[in-house]
Amino acid sequence: MSDDDHHFESKADAGASKTYPQQAGTIRKNGYIVIKGRPCKVVEVSTSKTGKHGHAKCHFVGIDIFIGKKLEDIVPSSHNCDVPHVNRTDYQLIDISEDGFVSLLTESGDTKDDLRLPTDENLLKQIKDGFGEGKDLVVSVMSAMGEEQICALKDIGPK
């Protein structure tokens, strides 16, 4: 059998894990961490001194990057924590459907139709108003741990 018989679709994450391990003591403010199974942006880190029997502990306060909920965790500083792979991608907005889904144009010229409008009222209003006025809008989509959400908006001028 020749090598030409095998054809694989490349999706760029060949079975890659949604997270990677990182030592708790090296995670800093504005980094990312998984707390209670949710990807969070770290807003506060404090480290306690070593106790009589053990490890220095890191106290993390993070905000869920998708739902905005505040979460906390305490981990020994020598232990590993899960850190999510967080990606931001820009797409051009083509259409907004009646049921709250958006149609986006990818870099390769394909359409992406599986994303909902954001739940953040302010961002939602900006997107709907800009789209209603016929402006060319570019939305930033943040993805981590199998979830995706529109997180920012750029106006690139009139159509």
Side-chain angles (χ1 to χ4, degrees):
M1 205 148 102
S2 72
D3 291 336
D4 300 334
D5 294 345
H6 300 290
H7 178 72
F8 296 106
E9 275 302 311
S10 171
K11 290 281 188 248
D13 68 331
S17 170
K18 294 177 170 122
T19 62
Y20 60 93
Q22 186 175 338
Q23 194 172 333
T26 63
I27 296 171
R28 299 280 166 248
K29 189 175 171 178
N30 293 331
Y32 295 99
I33 186 172
V34 176
I35 301 177
K36 296 182 177 87
R38 300 290 306 163
C40 298
K41 185 175 178 99
V42 179
V43 290
E44 192 182 318
V45 181
S46 55
T47 310
S48 66
K49 286 198 166 60
T50 355
K52 184 176 172 186
H53 297 292
H55 305 284
K57 295 205 171 34
C58 293
H59 176 238
F60 295 105
V61 178
I63 298 202
D64 189 311
I65 58 177
F66 295 120
I67 55 178
K69 191 175 170 194
K70 188 175 179 182
L71 297 165
E72 294 186 49
D73 201 6
I74 296 175
V75 185
S77 63
S78 57
H79 287 203
N80 280 349
C81 290
D82 284 335
V83 176
H85 290 285
V86 179
N87 293 318
R88 281 179 83 128
T89 318
D90 289 350
Y91 298 105
Q92 188 165 347
L93 181 65
I94 304 171
D95 192 24
I96 299 175
S97 64
E98 296 295 315
D99 57 1
F101 281 88
V102 291
S103 188
L104 305 171
L105 186 66
T106 64
E107 296 257 322
S108 60
D110 300 322
T111 57
K112 181 174 175 56
D113 303 308
D114 58 350
L115 268 178
R116 285 190 162 281
L117 280 165
T119 48
D120 176 24
E121 292 295 323
N122 194 10
L123 188 57
L124 181 65
K125 184 178 180 334
Q126 285 180 329
I127 291 173
K128 283 189 168 173
D129 290 353
F131 186 73
E133 291 165 18
K135 290 181 181 170
D136 255 350
L137 301 175
V138 172
V139 293
S140 290
V141 175
M142 190 178 287
S143 61
M145 296 176 68
E147 283 185 65
E148 290 184 309
Q149 186 175 318
I150 295 172
C151 61
L153 173 72
K154 286 181 217 147
D155 183 356
I156 56 171
K159 279 190 178 163

